[in-house]
Amino acid sequence: GEDVEQSLFLSVREGDSSVINCTYTDSSSTYLYWYKQEPGAGLQLLTYIFSNMDMKQDQRLTVLLNKKDKHLSLRIADTQTGDSAIYFCAERGNSDMRFGAGTRLTVKP
Amino acid sequence: KAGVTQTPRYLIKTRGQQVTLSCSPISGHRSVSWYQQTPGQGLQFLFEYFSETQRNKGNFPGRFSGRQFSNSRSEMNVSTLELGDSALYLCASSLGLRSGNTIYFGEGSWLTVV
């Protein structure tokens, strides 16, 4: 199976919170990332967290890391229609960066 | 500061041809990596270059190759194109190879093989 796993779809109503979950397997990963991809575009770095942290907040974004369970989540507060995109979780250990399959977030008005 | 720039943005090739894609990293970044994105396989790592040397390579056939120049600009080449090579090819740059060096992506080159 994949090294990084994410659920494929998430649908929320505008104004609600979105929580996108991710699990990874490489215990040597020291940095974990969240990227956003809008249609026809490349990947935009949203935020990242160092493995010795368990939480990082950046405006509407909150990243939670449970290193014991190798579980990472991205919470988007007050989700807007402009947040509709594919969100990728990624880990980087000692070599290449490994991505999940991406979670397609749909925000309904 | 300019981001990662990829050219061309869109191209159409026929089976059997070869293609070269170009990437200019963010100024000061010395590491360039390439990824292939397809609906079926997701994002797959192709290779990574640092100081003109290939440092890591993904699981792709030898038809896929790359190089990096002294100014850190990089090119990737795909020879004998197959229909399955149709994909978005993403280039990314970072300061170096350490896991703490954040990777920034370009907008990608859309390749269609017919």
mmCIF file of all heavy atoms in Angstrom, chain B residues 51-101:
data_model
loop_
_atom_site.group_PDB
_atom_site.id
_atom_site.type_symbol
_atom_site.label_atom_id
_atom_site.label_comp_id
_atom_site.label_asym_id
_atom_site.label_seq_id
_atom_site.Cartn_x
_atom_site.Cartn_y
_atom_site.Cartn_z
ATOM 1 N N SER B 51 23.245 20.311 -7.082
ATOM 2 C CA SER B 51 24.595 20.609 -7.580
ATOM 3 C C SER B 51 24.949 19.765 -8.796
ATOM 4 O O SER B 51 26.015 19.144 -8.860
ATOM 5 C CB SER B 51 25.650 20.386 -6.481
ATOM 6 O OG SER B 51 25.480 21.307 -5.451
ATOM 7 N N GLU B 52 24.026 19.744 -9.753
ATOM 8 C CA GLU B 52 24.220 19.092 -11.050
ATOM 9 C C GLU B 52 24.323 17.579 -10.975
ATOM 10 O O GLU B 52 24.645 16.937 -11.979
ATOM 11 C CB GLU B 52 25.471 19.660 -11.749
ATOM 12 C CG GLU B 52 25.408 21.174 -11.965
ATOM 13 C CD GLU B 52 26.686 21.721 -12.578
ATOM 14 O OE1 GLU B 52 26.966 21.372 -13.738
ATOM 15 O OE2 GLU B 52 27.395 22.493 -11.899
ATOM 16 N N THR B 53 24.045 16.990 -9.819
ATOM 17 C CA THR B 53 24.137 15.541 -9.661
ATOM 18 C C THR B 53 22.780 14.973 -9.275
ATOM 19 O O THR B 53 22.079 15.544 -8.440
ATOM 20 C CB THR B 53 25.170 15.187 -8.564
ATOM 21 O OG1 THR B 53 26.426 15.755 -8.910
ATOM 22 C CG2 THR B 53 25.304 13.672 -8.409
ATOM 23 N N GLN B 54 22.429 13.859 -9.879
ATOM 24 C CA GLN B 54 21.186 13.188 -9.490
ATOM 25 C C GLN B 54 21.399 12.525 -8.136
ATOM 26 O O GLN B 54 22.266 11.659 -7.987
ATOM 27 C CB GLN B 54 20.796 12.142 -10.540
ATOM 28 C CG GLN B 54 19.419 11.539 -10.286
ATOM 29 C CD GLN B 54 19.049 10.509 -11.345
ATOM 30 O OE1 GLN B 54 19.328 9.321 -11.210
ATOM 31 N NE2 GLN B 54 18.443 10.962 -12.409
ATOM 32 N N ARG B 55 20.564 12.885 -7.160
ATOM 33 C CA ARG B 55 20.752 12.381 -5.800
ATOM 34 C C ARG B 55 19.758 11.279 -5.457
ATOM 35 O O ARG B 55 20.038 10.430 -4.620
ATOM 36 C CB ARG B 55 20.594 13.521 -4.795
ATOM 37 C CG ARG B 55 21.563 14.665 -5.013
ATOM 38 C CD ARG B 55 23.013 14.241 -4.894
ATOM 39 N NE ARG B 55 23.943 15.307 -5.159
ATOM 40 C CZ ARG B 55 24.928 15.669 -4.340
ATOM 41 N NH1 ARG B 55 25.099 15.050 -3.190
ATOM 42 N NH2 ARG B 55 25.724 16.667 -4.678
ATOM 43 N N ASN B 56 18.583 11.342 -6.045
ATOM 44 C CA ASN B 56 17.563 10.319 -5.800
ATOM 45 C C ASN B 56 16.831 10.053 -7.087
ATOM 46 O O ASN B 56 16.698 10.946 -7.934
ATOM 47 C CB ASN B 56 16.549 10.796 -4.747
ATOM 48 C CG ASN B 56 17.141 10.851 -3.360
ATOM 49 O OD1 ASN B 56 17.632 9.861 -2.849
ATOM 50 N ND2 ASN B 56 17.099 12.032 -2.756
ATOM 51 N N LYS B 57 16.338 8.826 -7.203
ATOM 52 C CA LYS B 57 15.610 8.470 -8.424
ATOM 53 C C LYS B 57 14.431 7.614 -8.038
ATOM 54 O O LYS B 57 14.541 6.720 -7.184
ATOM 55 C CB LYS B 57 16.533 7.699 -9.366
ATOM 56 C CG LYS B 57 15.949 7.449 -10.737
ATOM 57 C CD LYS B 57 16.976 6.743 -11.625
ATOM 58 C CE LYS B 57 16.538 6.669 -13.072
ATOM 59 N NZ LYS B 57 15.227 6.066 -13.274
ATOM 60 N N GLY B 58 13.291 7.887 -8.671
ATOM 61 C CA GLY B 58 12.103 7.097 -8.442
ATOM 62 C C GLY B 58 12.088 5.871 -9.336
ATOM 63 O O GLY B 58 13.039 5.577 -10.059
ATOM 64 N N ASN B 59 10.967 5.178 -9.311
ATOM 65 C CA ASN B 59 10.861 3.911 -10.033
ATOM 66 C C ASN B 59 10.262 4.128 -11.410
ATOM 67 O O ASN B 59 9.121 3.762 -11.670
ATOM 68 C CB ASN B 59 10.006 2.940 -9.205
ATOM 69 C CG ASN B 59 10.027 1.548 -9.774
ATOM 70 O OD1 ASN B 59 10.975 1.177 -10.457
ATOM 71 N ND2 ASN B 59 8.986 0.788 -9.518
ATOM 72 N N PHE B 60 11.009 4.746 -12.282
ATOM 73 C CA PHE B 60 10.563 5.003 -13.654
ATOM 74 C C PHE B 60 11.574 4.382 -14.626
ATOM 75 O O PHE B 60 12.750 4.248 -14.295
ATOM 76 C CB PHE B 60 10.461 6.512 -13.909
ATOM 77 C CG PHE B 60 9.172 7.107 -13.426
ATOM 78 C CD1 PHE B 60 8.993 7.428 -12.097
ATOM 79 C CD2 PHE B 60 8.118 7.324 -14.312
ATOM 80 C CE1 PHE B 60 7.803 7.962 -11.640
ATOM 81 C CE2 PHE B 60 6.920 7.857 -13.867
ATOM 82 C CZ PHE B 60 6.759 8.171 -12.533
ATOM 83 N N PRO B 61 11.094 4.013 -15.831
ATOM 84 C CA PRO B 61 12.026 3.406 -16.796
ATOM 85 C C PRO B 61 13.080 4.396 -17.267
ATOM 86 O O PRO B 61 12.954 5.616 -17.094
ATOM 87 C CB PRO B 61 11.105 2.982 -17.948
ATOM 88 C CG PRO B 61 9.863 3.783 -17.788
ATOM 89 C CD PRO B 61 9.711 4.062 -16.325
ATOM 90 N N GLY B 62 14.097 3.859 -17.918
ATOM 91 C CA GLY B 62 15.208 4.674 -18.375
ATOM 92 C C GLY B 62 14.845 5.692 -19.434
ATOM 93 O O GLY B 62 15.646 6.586 -19.740
ATOM 94 N N ARG B 63 13.626 5.585 -19.985
ATOM 95 C CA ARG B 63 13.182 6.603 -20.966
ATOM 96 C C ARG B 63 13.076 7.979 -20.327
ATOM 97 O O ARG B 63 13.072 8.998 -21.003
ATOM 98 C CB ARG B 63 11.806 6.223 -21.545
ATOM 99 C CG ARG B 63 11.748 4.899 -22.264
ATOM 100 C CD ARG B 63 10.398 4.693 -22.922
ATOM 101 N NE ARG B 63 9.302 4.599 -21.960
ATOM 102 C CZ ARG B 63 8.378 5.545 -21.788
ATOM 103 N NH1 ARG B 63 8.420 6.662 -22.498
ATOM 104 N NH2 ARG B 63 7.393 5.365 -20.919
ATOM 105 N N PHE B 64 12.956 7.986 -19.023
ATOM 106 C CA PHE B 64 12.841 9.249 -18.278
ATOM 107 C C PHE B 64 14.235 9.628 -17.773
ATOM 108 O O PHE B 64 14.881 8.850 -17.055
ATOM 109 C CB PHE B 64 11.888 9.095 -17.097
ATOM 110 C CG PHE B 64 10.455 8.903 -17.486
ATOM 111 C CD1 PHE B 64 9.989 7.663 -17.897
ATOM 112 C CD2 PHE B 64 9.565 9.971 -17.450
ATOM 113 C CE1 PHE B 64 8.665 7.487 -18.273
ATOM 114 C CE2 PHE B 64 8.236 9.805 -17.808
ATOM 115 C CZ PHE B 64 7.785 8.556 -18.225
ATOM 116 N N SER B 65 14.686 10.787 -18.138
ATOM 117 C CA SER B 65 16.003 11.228 -17.702
ATOM 118 C C SER B 65 15.961 12.712 -17.396
ATOM 119 O O SER B 65 15.009 13.409 -17.758
ATOM 120 C CB SER B 65 17.051 10.946 -18.770
ATOM 121 O OG SER B 65 16.758 11.678 -19.948
ATOM 122 N N GLY B 66 16.985 13.187 -16.742
ATOM 123 C CA GLY B 66 17.024 14.598 -16.411
ATOM 124 C C GLY B 66 18.445 15.070 -16.276
ATOM 125 O O GLY B 66 19.396 14.277 -16.355
ATOM 126 N N ARG B 67 18.573 16.358 -16.109
ATOM 127 C CA ARG B 67 19.878 16.919 -15.813
ATOM 128 C C ARG B 67 19.700 18.270 -15.147
ATOM 129 O O ARG B 67 18.628 18.880 -15.227
ATOM 130 C CB ARG B 67 20.714 17.062 -17.075
ATOM 131 C CG ARG B 67 20.112 17.899 -18.171
ATOM 132 C CD ARG B 67 21.059 17.977 -19.341
ATOM 133 N NE ARG B 67 20.479 18.692 -20.472
ATOM 134 C CZ ARG B 67 21.187 19.115 -21.514
ATOM 135 N NH1 ARG B 67 22.490 18.890 -21.575
ATOM 136 N NH2 ARG B 67 20.609 19.752 -22.506
ATOM 137 N N GLN B 68 20.758 18.720 -14.512
ATOM 138 C CA GLN B 68 20.729 20.024 -13.875
ATOM 139 C C GLN B 68 21.975 20.780 -14.294
ATOM 140 O O GLN B 68 23.065 20.210 -14.377
ATOM 141 C CB GLN B 68 20.683 19.901 -12.353
ATOM 142 C CG GLN B 68 20.507 21.239 -11.642
ATOM 143 C CD GLN B 68 20.479 21.114 -10.130
ATOM 144 O OE1 GLN B 68 21.145 20.247 -9.561
ATOM 145 N NE2 GLN B 68 19.716 21.961 -9.469
ATOM 146 N N PHE B 69 21.784 22.051 -14.547
ATOM 147 C CA PHE B 69 22.879 22.886 -15.013
ATOM 148 C C PHE B 69 23.518 23.637 -13.852
ATOM 149 O O PHE B 69 22.993 23.647 -12.733
ATOM 150 C CB PHE B 69 22.362 23.865 -16.070
ATOM 151 C CG PHE B 69 21.716 23.177 -17.241
ATOM 152 C CD1 PHE B 69 20.338 22.993 -17.287
ATOM 153 C CD2 PHE B 69 22.484 22.674 -18.286
ATOM 154 C CE1 PHE B 69 19.741 22.342 -18.361
ATOM 155 C CE2 PHE B 69 21.901 22.036 -19.361
ATOM 156 C CZ PHE B 69 20.517 21.855 -19.391
ATOM 157 N N SER B 70 24.628 24.292 -14.138
ATOM 158 C CA SER B 70 25.373 24.971 -13.076
ATOM 159 C C SER B 70 24.579 26.117 -12.447
ATOM 160 O O SER B 70 24.842 26.511 -11.307
ATOM 161 C CB SER B 70 26.711 25.485 -13.617
ATOM 162 O OG SER B 70 26.500 26.376 -14.682
ATOM 163 N N ASN B 71 23.600 26.641 -13.171
ATOM 164 C CA ASN B 71 22.769 27.716 -12.598
ATOM 165 C C ASN B 71 21.537 27.138 -11.879
ATOM 166 O O ASN B 71 20.608 27.880 -11.561
ATOM 167 C CB ASN B 71 22.343 28.708 -13.682
ATOM 168 C CG ASN B 71 21.506 28.060 -14.774
ATOM 169 O OD1 ASN B 71 21.254 26.856 -14.728
ATOM 170 N ND2 ASN B 71 21.094 28.847 -15.749
ATOM 171 N N SER B 72 21.529 25.842 -11.652
ATOM 172 C CA SER B 72 20.462 25.093 -10.958
ATOM 173 C C SER B 72 19.230 24.838 -11.818
ATOM 174 O O SER B 72 18.356 24.087 -11.402
ATOM 175 C CB SER B 72 20.041 25.758 -9.637
ATOM 176 O OG SER B 72 21.101 25.715 -8.722
ATOM 177 N N ARG B 73 19.162 25.437 -12.978
ATOM 178 C CA ARG B 73 18.049 25.129 -13.883
ATOM 179 C C ARG B 73 18.104 23.648 -14.252
ATOM 180 O O ARG B 73 19.192 23.042 -14.282
ATOM 181 C CB ARG B 73 18.139 25.992 -15.126
ATOM 182 C CG ARG B 73 16.869 26.007 -15.978
ATOM 183 C CD ARG B 73 17.025 26.963 -17.172
ATOM 184 N NE ARG B 73 18.000 26.497 -18.133
ATOM 185 C CZ ARG B 73 17.752 25.616 -19.095
ATOM 186 N NH1 ARG B 73 16.551 25.073 -19.189
ATOM 187 N NH2 ARG B 73 18.700 25.268 -19.942
ATOM 188 N N SER B 74 16.928 23.066 -14.489
ATOM 189 C CA SER B 74 16.890 21.637 -14.762
ATOM 190 C C SER B 74 16.009 21.349 -15.972
ATOM 191 O O SER B 74 15.106 22.124 -16.308
ATOM 192 C CB SER B 74 16.339 20.890 -13.537
ATOM 193 O OG SER B 74 16.220 19.498 -13.786
ATOM 194 N N GLU B 75 16.309 20.258 -16.625
ATOM 195 C CA GLU B 75 15.479 19.755 -17.708
ATOM 196 C C GLU B 75 15.204 18.287 -17.462
ATOM 197 O O GLU B 75 16.037 17.578 -16.889
ATOM 198 C CB GLU B 75 16.197 19.893 -19.057
ATOM 199 C CG GLU B 75 16.316 21.306 -19.561
ATOM 200 C CD GLU B 75 17.036 21.384 -20.907
ATOM 201 O OE1 GLU B 75 17.653 20.378 -21.312
ATOM 202 O OE2 GLU B 75 16.990 22.461 -21.528
ATOM 203 N N MET B 76 14.030 17.851 -17.899
ATOM 204 C CA MET B 76 13.782 16.423 -17.932
ATOM 205 C C MET B 76 13.384 16.041 -19.349
ATOM 206 O O MET B 76 12.793 16.836 -20.081
ATOM 207 C CB MET B 76 12.733 15.983 -16.917
ATOM 208 C CG MET B 76 11.325 16.410 -17.179
ATOM 209 S SD MET B 76 10.138 15.402 -16.241
ATOM 210 C CE MET B 76 10.073 13.927 -17.250
ATOM 211 N N ASN B 77 13.740 14.842 -19.707
ATOM 212 C CA ASN B 77 13.503 14.350 -21.054
ATOM 213 C C ASN B 77 12.785 13.007 -20.973
ATOM 214 O O ASN B 77 13.110 12.160 -20.128
ATOM 215 C CB ASN B 77 14.844 14.199 -21.779
ATOM 216 C CG ASN B 77 14.674 13.777 -23.219
ATOM 217 O OD1 ASN B 77 14.518 12.599 -23.504
ATOM 218 N ND2 ASN B 77 14.666 14.735 -24.108
ATOM 219 N N VAL B 78 11.806 12.836 -21.839
ATOM 220 C CA VAL B 78 11.163 11.536 -21.975
ATOM 221 C C VAL B 78 11.311 11.122 -23.434
ATOM 222 O O VAL B 78 10.877 11.860 -24.336
ATOM 223 C CB VAL B 78 9.669 11.566 -21.587
ATOM 224 C CG1 VAL B 78 9.106 10.148 -21.557
ATOM 225 C CG2 VAL B 78 9.470 12.248 -20.243
ATOM 226 N N SER B 79 11.912 9.987 -23.666
ATOM 227 C CA SER B 79 12.104 9.502 -25.039
ATOM 228 C C SER B 79 11.069 8.428 -25.353
ATOM 229 O O SER B 79 10.443 7.853 -24.449
ATOM 230 C CB SER B 79 13.518 8.943 -25.200
ATOM 231 O OG SER B 79 13.704 7.844 -24.343
ATOM 232 N N THR B 80 10.885 8.179 -26.632
ATOM 233 C CA THR B 80 9.955 7.148 -27.102
ATOM 234 C C THR B 80 8.635 7.216 -26.334
ATOM 235 O O THR B 80 8.240 6.276 -25.613
ATOM 236 C CB THR B 80 10.582 5.742 -26.961
ATOM 237 O OG1 THR B 80 11.959 5.783 -27.308
ATOM 238 C CG2 THR B 80 9.874 4.752 -27.868
ATOM 239 N N LEU B 81 7.964 8.316 -26.466
ATOM 240 C CA LEU B 81 6.753 8.569 -25.699
ATOM 241 C C LEU B 81 5.690 7.513 -25.900
ATOM 242 O O LEU B 81 5.486 7.004 -27.014
ATOM 243 C CB LEU B 81 6.188 9.941 -26.063
ATOM 244 C CG LEU B 81 6.915 11.142 -25.460
ATOM 245 C CD1 LEU B 81 6.527 12.433 -26.172
ATOM 246 C CD2 LEU B 81 6.643 11.241 -23.968
ATOM 247 N N GLU B 82 5.014 7.199 -24.802
ATOM 248 C CA GLU B 82 3.884 6.266 -24.820
ATOM 249 C C GLU B 82 2.639 7.023 -24.360
ATOM 250 O O GLU B 82 2.737 8.054 -23.696
ATOM 251 C CB GLU B 82 4.174 5.093 -23.869
ATOM 252 C CG GLU B 82 5.417 4.317 -24.222
ATOM 253 C CD GLU B 82 5.727 3.226 -23.203
ATOM 254 O OE1 GLU B 82 4.975 3.079 -22.215
ATOM 255 O OE2 GLU B 82 6.741 2.522 -23.398
ATOM 256 N N LEU B 83 1.482 6.455 -24.725
ATOM 257 C CA LEU B 83 0.229 7.111 -24.338
ATOM 258 C C LEU B 83 0.153 7.322 -22.831
ATOM 259 O O LEU B 83 -0.346 8.345 -22.350
ATOM 260 C CB LEU B 83 -0.972 6.289 -24.809
ATOM 261 C CG LEU B 83 -1.148 6.145 -26.320
ATOM 262 C CD1 LEU B 83 -2.359 5.265 -26.624
ATOM 263 C CD2 LEU B 83 -1.300 7.499 -27.003
ATOM 264 N N GLY B 84 0.673 6.368 -22.073
ATOM 265 C CA GLY B 84 0.622 6.429 -20.614
ATOM 266 C C GLY B 84 1.501 7.503 -20.013
ATOM 267 O O GLY B 84 1.440 7.732 -18.800
ATOM 268 N N ASP B 85 2.306 8.151 -20.830
ATOM 269 C CA ASP B 85 3.147 9.235 -20.324
ATOM 270 C C ASP B 85 2.369 10.543 -20.236
ATOM 271 O O ASP B 85 2.892 11.540 -19.716
ATOM 272 C CB ASP B 85 4.370 9.432 -21.225
ATOM 273 C CG ASP B 85 5.284 8.222 -21.249
ATOM 274 O OD1 ASP B 85 5.309 7.471 -20.243
ATOM 275 O OD2 ASP B 85 5.959 8.008 -22.276
ATOM 276 N N SER B 86 1.150 10.551 -20.741
ATOM 277 C CA SER B 86 0.314 11.745 -20.628
ATOM 278 C C SER B 86 0.091 12.049 -19.152
ATOM 279 O O SER B 86 -0.402 11.203 -18.396
ATOM 280 C CB SER B 86 -1.036 11.522 -21.318
ATOM 281 O OG SER B 86 -0.869 11.353 -22.694
ATOM 282 N N ALA B 87 0.467 13.231 -18.738
ATOM 283 C CA ALA B 87 0.427 13.562 -17.316
ATOM 284 C C ALA B 87 0.760 15.028 -17.119
ATOM 285 O O ALA B 87 1.166 15.721 -18.055
ATOM 286 C CB ALA B 87 1.440 12.713 -16.542
ATOM 287 N N LEU B 88 0.594 15.450 -15.874
ATOM 288 C CA LEU B 88 1.107 16.754 -15.453
ATOM 289 C C LEU B 88 2.472 16.508 -14.830
ATOM 290 O O LEU B 88 2.596 15.708 -13.903
ATOM 291 C CB LEU B 88 0.167 17.388 -14.430
ATOM 292 C CG LEU B 88 0.630 18.700 -13.786
ATOM 293 C CD1 LEU B 88 0.732 19.810 -14.835
ATOM 294 C CD2 LEU B 88 -0.327 19.128 -12.667
ATOM 295 N N TYR B 89 3.488 17.160 -15.352
ATOM 296 C CA TYR B 89 4.843 17.001 -14.815
ATOM 297 C C TYR B 89 5.163 18.236 -13.984
ATOM 298 O O TYR B 89 5.169 19.358 -14.481
ATOM 299 C CB TYR B 89 5.850 16.800 -15.948
ATOM 300 C CG TYR B 89 5.675 15.436 -16.577
ATOM 301 C CD1 TYR B 89 4.780 15.256 -17.627
ATOM 302 C CD2 TYR B 89 6.363 14.338 -16.088
ATOM 303 C CE1 TYR B 89 4.575 14.003 -18.172
ATOM 304 C CE2 TYR B 89 6.171 13.076 -16.626
ATOM 305 C CZ TYR B 89 5.273 12.916 -17.665
ATOM 306 O OH TYR B 89 5.064 11.666 -18.196
ATOM 307 N N LEU B 90 5.426 17.988 -12.722
ATOM 308 C CA LEU B 90 5.667 19.068 -11.778
ATOM 309 C C LEU B 90 7.128 19.123 -11.385
ATOM 310 O O LEU B 90 7.737 18.105 -11.084
ATOM 311 C CB LEU B 90 4.819 18.876 -10.518
ATOM 312 C CG LEU B 90 3.310 19.049 -10.696
ATOM 313 C CD1 LEU B 90 2.564 18.455 -9.520
ATOM 314 C CD2 LEU B 90 2.966 20.526 -10.846
ATOM 315 N N CYS B 91 7.640 20.326 -11.391
ATOM 316 C CA CYS B 91 8.993 20.568 -10.930
ATOM 317 C C CYS B 91 8.901 21.271 -9.576
ATOM 318 O O CYS B 91 7.984 22.070 -9.342
ATOM 319 C CB CYS B 91 9.733 21.440 -11.935
ATOM 320 S SG CYS B 91 11.334 22.041 -11.366
ATOM 321 N N ALA B 92 9.822 20.964 -8.697
ATOM 322 C CA ALA B 92 9.843 21.606 -7.380
ATOM 323 C C ALA B 92 11.270 21.971 -7.027
ATOM 324 O O ALA B 92 12.208 21.291 -7.438
ATOM 325 C CB ALA B 92 9.258 20.671 -6.324
ATOM 326 N N SER B 93 11.418 23.036 -6.280
ATOM 327 C CA SER B 93 12.771 23.406 -5.847
ATOM 328 C C SER B 93 12.816 23.620 -4.348
ATOM 329 O O SER B 93 11.805 23.908 -3.702
ATOM 330 C CB SER B 93 13.265 24.653 -6.592
ATOM 331 O OG SER B 93 12.683 25.849 -6.072
ATOM 332 N N SER B 94 14.008 23.443 -3.812
ATOM 333 C CA SER B 94 14.234 23.702 -2.391
ATOM 334 C C SER B 94 15.683 24.126 -2.209
ATOM 335 O O SER B 94 16.504 23.978 -3.116
ATOM 336 C CB SER B 94 13.914 22.468 -1.545
ATOM 337 O OG SER B 94 14.780 21.406 -1.845
ATOM 338 N N LEU B 95 15.976 24.650 -1.022
ATOM 339 C CA LEU B 95 17.339 25.109 -0.770
ATOM 340 C C LEU B 95 18.331 23.962 -0.860
ATOM 341 O O LEU B 95 19.436 24.104 -1.379
ATOM 342 C CB LEU B 95 17.428 25.756 0.620
ATOM 343 C CG LEU B 95 16.848 27.170 0.741
ATOM 344 C CD1 LEU B 95 16.774 27.584 2.199
ATOM 345 C CD2 LEU B 95 17.688 28.156 -0.054
ATOM 346 N N GLY B 96 17.946 22.800 -0.315
ATOM 347 C CA GLY B 96 18.861 21.667 -0.307
ATOM 348 C C GLY B 96 18.113 20.370 -0.161
ATOM 349 O O GLY B 96 16.902 20.308 -0.391
ATOM 350 N N LEU B 97 18.832 19.344 0.235
ATOM 351 C CA LEU B 97 18.263 18.005 0.289
ATOM 352 C C LEU B 97 17.707 17.631 1.662
ATOM 353 O O LEU B 97 17.050 16.624 1.816
ATOM 354 C CB LEU B 97 19.349 16.984 -0.098
ATOM 355 C CG LEU B 97 19.888 17.108 -1.513
ATOM 356 C CD1 LEU B 97 21.084 16.197 -1.705
ATOM 357 C CD2 LEU B 97 18.811 16.778 -2.532
ATOM 358 N N ARG B 98 17.984 18.427 2.677
ATOM 359 C CA ARG B 98 17.553 18.076 4.028
ATOM 360 C C ARG B 98 16.044 18.116 4.117
ATOM 361 O O ARG B 98 15.390 18.913 3.466
ATOM 362 C CB ARG B 98 18.159 19.040 5.033
ATOM 363 C CG ARG B 98 19.656 18.903 5.193
ATOM 364 C CD ARG B 98 20.188 19.982 6.088
ATOM 365 N NE ARG B 98 19.502 19.970 7.374
ATOM 366 C CZ ARG B 98 19.603 20.956 8.261
ATOM 367 N NH1 ARG B 98 20.344 22.015 7.992
ATOM 368 N NH2 ARG B 98 18.974 20.904 9.409
ATOM 369 N N SER B 99 15.493 17.261 4.961
ATOM 370 C CA SER B 99 14.040 17.157 5.060
ATOM 371 C C SER B 99 13.412 18.450 5.542
ATOM 372 O O SER B 99 12.240 18.701 5.313
ATOM 373 C CB SER B 99 13.643 16.009 5.987
ATOM 374 O OG SER B 99 14.127 16.234 7.291
ATOM 375 N N GLY B 100 14.156 19.301 6.199
ATOM 376 C CA GLY B 100 13.616 20.571 6.663
ATOM 377 C C GLY B 100 13.560 21.634 5.593
ATOM 378 O O GLY B 100 13.023 22.710 5.799
ATOM 379 N N ASN B 101 14.132 21.335 4.433
ATOM 380 C CA ASN B 101 14.094 22.309 3.343
ATOM 381 C C ASN B 101 12.770 22.192 2.612
ATOM 382 O O ASN B 101 12.531 21.222 1.898
ATOM 383 C CB ASN B 101 15.251 22.066 2.364
ATOM 384 C CG ASN B 101 16.599 22.345 2.993
ATOM 385 O OD1 ASN B 101 17.566 21.638 2.739
ATOM 386 N ND2 ASN B 101 16.704 23.368 3.817
#
